[in-house]
Amino acid sequence: MSEENVEIVRRIHERWGHEESVRDLVADDLEYVNPTYAVESGTRIGRDAFGSVRDMYPDFVFHVD
C-alpha cells in the first residue's frame, strides 16, 4: 500500500473516531465486499458502503495503533 493510501486510511479512522464524515476521502466507486458468511454479506458500491455497515453495528468501537 502506498504511503498516500496509508495516510488516507489513517485520516478516515481518525474522523470516524470523532464521528465526523469521511465522504470527501472515499472514492465515488469504492467497492466494499464481505463474504457470504458475514452478517452484512455482499458487495456494496459507492461512498455509502461504509455507512451501511457502520449502521449495522452502532456500538462498534475501534482504535488505530
Side-chain angles (χ1 to χ4, degrees):
M1 184 181 295
S2 74
E3 196 57 38
E4 180 183 357
N5 289 342
V6 170
E7 182 57 31
I8 289 171
V9 171
R10 285 184 182 143
R11 290 172 60 194
I12 288 171
H13 284 272
E14 181 180 326
R15 287 191 190 180
W16 278 348
H18 293 102
E19 298 184 20
E20 297 173 356
S21 174
V22 297
R23 190 163 191 80
D24 61 311
L25 299 177
V26 177
D28 291 334
D29 61 349
L30 170 101
E31 184 174 308
Y32 180 83
V33 180
N34 258 346
T36 56
Y37 57 81
V39 174
E40 72 290 350
S41 64
T43 301
R44 290 165 184 76
I45 308 249
R47 289 181 170 152
D48 295 331
F50 285 131
S52 64
V53 174
R54 291 187 67 211
D55 290 344
M56 186 167 279
Y57 303 101
D59 296 333
F60 182 76
V61 177
F62 62 86
H63 300 278
V64 179
D65 289 332

